[in-house]
Amino acid sequence: MNTIDTFGAQRNLSALVDFSNFINSSLDLKFILNNLLLTCFGKFHTTKGFVALFDSDDKLRIKASKGISEEIIGQFPNVPLCDKTYDNALLAEFCDKLKFVFYQDIISSQGLRGIIFLGERLTKGEYLQEDRDFLNTLINIAATAIENSIIVEKLKEANRNLDSKVAMLTSLFELSKEFSGVLEASRVGKLLVYSVIGQLMVTSYAVVLCGGKEEAQIIEAKIQKKILQEALKKCDTSKITSPLFSRNFPDEFLGLKQLGVELIIPMQIQGETKGLMLLGKRFNNQDFTESDVEFIYATGSLAIISIENAKLFKEALEKQKMEEDLEIARGIQKNLFPQRIPKMKNFEIAAVNISSKQVGGDYYDLVKFANNSCLFAIGDVSGKGVPASLLMANLQAFLKSICKQGMELDQATNVINDLISENTVMGNFITFFWGIINDETKMLTYVNAGHNPPLLIRNGEILKLTKGGMILGVMKTIVPYVSQTLPLYSDDVLILFTDGVTEAMNKQMEEFSDEKLEEIVLEAKNKSANDILFHIKAEVERFVDGANQSDDITLLIIKVK
């Protein structure tokens, strides 16, 4: 080797050592790439070049450049990773147009990382094999530094993401404590909005409760509520099961897009959408990131749980208050029934009312008169609950008042019907039966106003007492009620009952039935009034076998001695 070649080799070696020491002194990718380009410019006497690396999506992108404008960089084609990247037609066209004549792969321990492109030499001379060898050596040295820089950058990004996640979890933990202490939907909505607005600075928003067939309820909004409500009517909110950007809105949600909604976040419990967060653009016009969406979704999930808890808490309070009111009503209703059974010389009387779990409309009464006679009555008010019990109380008040006037039973029934008609709304009515038994003559006078016909057991046969008229409360009396008077004989048994007896249901949804009642009263006809009552009651309980009943059961037994 001659002296000139030896000197050149020493100079190249020295340059490579200096280059290696220099770029390995930093982990900044831009610093490494810029110095790679500058070293190439000094060695090959070119004025332009760029380094393009493959990103995480395996697309080639310019990371450092010298001698080319931002406009040209913007024209760089979309080049995917492949075995022969240079064969890409768009890349070849780009290089030919801008006269990038020299290029070399950048290969690290992880494989192909990118390509370096250099322009023409100032001398217009060609790049020789020794130039390629030198560039290849430079790239081998730089590849390690590039790889280290990318790894460090990934670690930094991972740390940033981790810090972001930790901050998010901390924020969510604090918010969960705030939400758990609030049991009012409107306050939860405000807290949710302030949390999101403070974090993401959105221009417009709305928090909407939805689910089921109920109309969406807007609890917080910086969008015109009237217009928003109209837009929501056209939307099937159950379709929103994951975050949805405006670019992906279905046609029925375009009304929300026109109101400036950019992002819809569902608020879910166990996969069911219970509410929506509608968010407009951010003040800085930046897009919502994946991390932003995660934060909003998690915050919304905390909020909807608190809102549901608030709703359940309110319902529990209302239920407790209702139970207390019903318990009071049950006590009042119980006091409306006779507290004592009248004692009579020729009649045994037994009665019972078995209340269902709610206040009912069953009624029976016994009124002893001074002339050795006794009025008995049984009724069933349509419907359930407090309205039925109030109507029952009215019936008792009317009965007590009319009894004192000494009217005939049929005329008294006309008056009661007119009074009930004036005090009921359309659809409410009372089936009613009442009668008077005389303790001296054993005569019975009765009127049946549409009630289940009482059973008169005589000599092993059943007679049904049906004489009377229509049920009470449907309309004022047009056709007068009629009464019937008939004698009673020793061992006659009169069974009065409400439909809670015959319509009692077992777990197979089978009714006790009139036929079964008639069968068992015939079996027990020779027993005392109390024993007959307990026999019927026991048979009904055995039949239903613990099944919950929706109606009261009332029985009144009169046996002639």
Side-chain angles (χ1 to χ4, degrees):
M1 182 181 293
N2 58 41
T3 304
I4 296 174
D5 292 338
T6 302
F7 179 74
Q10 290 177 343
R11 186 176 61 184
N12 286 344
L13 181 60
S14 176
L16 290 171
V17 171
D18 291 340
F19 174 74
S20 176
N21 290 333
F22 192 60
I23 64 167
N24 282 296
S25 66
S26 173
L27 290 172
D28 181 75
L29 183 61
K30 201 164 189 67
F31 173 85
I32 295 168
L33 299 180
N34 282 334
N35 279 283
L36 175 59
L37 284 174
L38 289 174
T39 302
C40 291
F41 285 10
K43 174 63 179 176
F44 305 123
H45 303 102
T46 183
T47 58
K48 62 181 179 180
F50 66 89
V51 178
L53 301 180
F54 288 101
D55 276 344
S56 57
D57 60 356
D58 290 338
K59 296 293 179 63
L60 195 64
R61 291 183 175 86
I62 296 177
K63 298 297 183 180
S65 63
K66 298 292 182 183
I68 56 177
S69 66
E70 290 294 328
E71 182 182 356
I72 291 174
I73 293 174
Q75 298 172 5
F76 189 73
N78 186 4
V79 181
L81 178 64
C82 63
D83 293 337
K84 295 183 179 180
T85 307
Y86 327 109
D87 292 344
N88 183 282
L90 293 176
L91 180 58
E93 182 182 350
F94 178 82
C95 292
D96 289 344
K97 180 180 177 181
L98 299 173
K99 297 183 179 179
F100 289 103
V101 298
F102 192 40
Y103 49 81
Q104 185 73 24
D105 287 342
I106 301 174
I107 300 174
S108 71
S109 58
Q110 301 300 314
L112 181 62
R113 273 296 181 186
I115 307 172
I116 183 171
F117 295 85
L118 300 175
E120 293 179 323
R121 306 179 77 161
L122 292 174
T123 60
K124 303 298 181 180
E126 294 183 358
Y127 287 92
L128 304 176
Q129 182 59 44
E130 63 183 57
D131 296 328
R132 187 171 296 279
D133 292 340
F134 184 81
L135 178 59
N136 190 52
T137 304
L138 278 179
I139 289 174
N140 288 337
I141 295 171
T144 302
I146 291 171
E147 190 64 47
N148 290 338
S149 173
I150 292 173
I151 291 172
V152 169
E153 191 58 40
K154 285 182 178 180
L155 286 173
K156 288 181 180 178
E157 181 65 23
N159 285 332
R160 284 193 293 269
N161 290 336
L162 183 59
D163 290 342
S164 175
K165 296 292 184 184
V166 170
M168 183 189 299
L169 288 173
T170 302
S171 180
L172 289 173
F173 178 71
E174 294 299 325
L175 284 171
S176 68
K177 293 193 291 185
E178 293 289 338
F179 284 134
S180 63
V182 179
L183 288 174
E184 187 178 339
S186 59
R187 288 184 61 194
V188 174
K190 289 184 183 297
L191 181 58
L192 173 61
V193 165
Y194 293 152
S195 303
V196 174
I197 296 302
Q199 186 84 4
L200 302 173
M201 302 300 290
V202 295
T203 56
S204 58
Y205 54 83
V207 178
V208 178
L209 299 184
C210 55
K213 297 180 179 178
E214 298 179 3
E215 187 177 83
Q217 177 189 355
I218 303 170
I219 63 171
E220 196 69 30
K222 196 179 178 182
I223 301 174
Q224 291 189 33
K225 289 188 177 181
K226 187 174 181 181
I227 301 175
L228 177 59
Q229 193 74 61
E230 288 299 317
L232 287 169
K233 287 179 181 178
K234 302 175 184 177
C235 304
D236 183 358
T237 54
S238 63
K239 290 182 178 179
I240 306 299
T241 57
S242 59
L244 188 64
F245 287 93
S246 60
R247 60 181 175 270
N248 298 321
F249 281 5
D251 291 342
E252 63 188 273
F253 284 81
L254 293 181
L256 296 177
K257 188 174 183 179
Q258 292 171 357
L259 291 174
V261 176
E262 290 290 320
L263 176 63
I264 300 178
I265 301 288
M267 298 190 291
Q268 297 181 304
I269 296 178
Q270 295 182 341
E272 182 180 354
T273 300
K274 296 285 189 177
L276 299 175
M277 291 185 66
L278 312 177
L279 303 177
K281 291 182 178 180
R282 302 174 68 175
F283 281 108
N284 56 13
N285 288 322
Q286 289 184 358
D287 293 333
F288 291 99
T289 65
E290 184 178 341
S291 180
D292 295 335
V293 173
E294 286 181 4
F295 175 76
I296 303 168
Y297 183 83
T299 307
S301 297
L302 290 174
I304 197 63
I305 291 172
S306 292
I307 290 172
E308 282 294 301
N309 286 342
K311 181 180 176 182
L312 293 174
F313 181 71
K314 183 178 179 182
E315 289 175 353
L317 288 179
E318 291 174 351
K319 184 178 179 181
Q320 181 181 354
K321 182 67 169 63
M322 185 180 295
E323 286 292 337
E324 292 173 355
D325 292 344
L326 287 175
E327 193 60 40
I328 293 171
R330 273 193 287 265
I332 295 172
Q333 185 180 35
K334 186 176 180 181
N335 289 331
L336 294 177
F337 293 115
Q339 301 302 304
R340 293 186 302 275
I341 301 293
K343 298 292 184 182
M344 303 188 74
K345 178 176 63 175
N346 290 308
F347 297 98
E348 293 178 8
I349 302 175
V352 69
N353 171 261
I354 304 171
S355 178
S356 63
K357 290 186 177 180
Q358 53 186 326
V359 176
D362 275 15
Y363 167 67
Y364 79 89
D365 212 342
L366 295 161
V367 181
K368 184 79 177 288
F369 294 140
N371 61 354
N372 288 326
S373 62
C374 178
L375 181 143
F376 61 93
I378 190 169
D380 188 358
V381 181
S382 64
K384 299 287 181 296
V386 175
S389 66
L390 290 174
L391 192 54
M392 186 201 82
N394 278 345
L395 172 62
Q396 189 203 44
F398 297 149
L399 184 146
K400 298 285 187 185
S401 177
I402 290 171
C403 282
K404 296 177 182 179
Q405 299 179 26
M407 299 174 64
E408 294 295 331
L409 210 59
D410 50 1
Q411 294 178 4
T413 309
N414 295 336
V415 174
I416 285 183
N417 179 59
D418 290 343
L419 290 171
I420 294 294
S421 298
E422 291 175 0
N423 288 274
T424 59
V425 294
M426 184 65 67
N428 287 348
F429 58 85
I430 303 173
T431 66
F432 182 65
F433 180 98
W434 64 344
I436 296 176
I437 48 176
N438 189 294
D439 203 19
E440 297 295 334
T441 64
K442 295 185 180 181
M443 298 298 292
L444 164 67
T445 301
Y446 75 88
V447 174
N448 189 338
H451 193 73
N452 304 74
L455 308 178
L456 177 59
I457 315 299
R458 177 176 292 170
N459 298 325
E461 296 182 356
I462 296 178
L463 303 175
K464 295 185 178 182
L465 308 183
T466 59
K467 209 74 171 178
M470 66 178 181
I471 56 180
L472 303 180
V474 175
M475 64 178 70
K476 287 196 173 184
T477 305
I478 298 175
V479 178
Y481 290 87
V482 295
S483 63
Q484 183 178 18
T485 301
L486 48 87
L488 297 176
Y489 303 103
S490 293
D491 296 326
D492 282 356
V493 180
L494 190 59
I495 311 290
L496 294 89
F497 59 93
T498 59
D499 58 13
V501 176
T502 55
E503 295 177 5
M505 283 193 176
N506 61 19
K507 294 175 182 177
Q508 289 73 43
M509 304 303 289
E510 299 168 335
E511 289 189 354
F512 188 73
S513 77
D514 292 276
E515 293 77 14
K516 190 168 185 65
L517 176 62
E518 293 173 14
E519 178 186 331
I520 64 174
V521 296
L522 286 174
E523 293 174 357
K525 65 183 185 298
N526 296 323
K527 298 181 179 182
S528 67
N530 273 324
D531 288 343
I532 294 171
L533 178 73
F534 287 124
H535 181 67
I536 296 172
K537 180 173 173 287
E539 287 295 317
V540 172
E541 290 175 349
R542 185 178 65 82
F543 177 80
V544 300
D545 192 24
N548 290 328
Q549 301 301 303
S550 61
D551 205 355
D552 292 355
I553 291 175
T554 303
L555 283 164
L556 179 60
I557 312 296
I558 300 174
K559 184 165 185 179
V560 185
K561 295 181 181 179

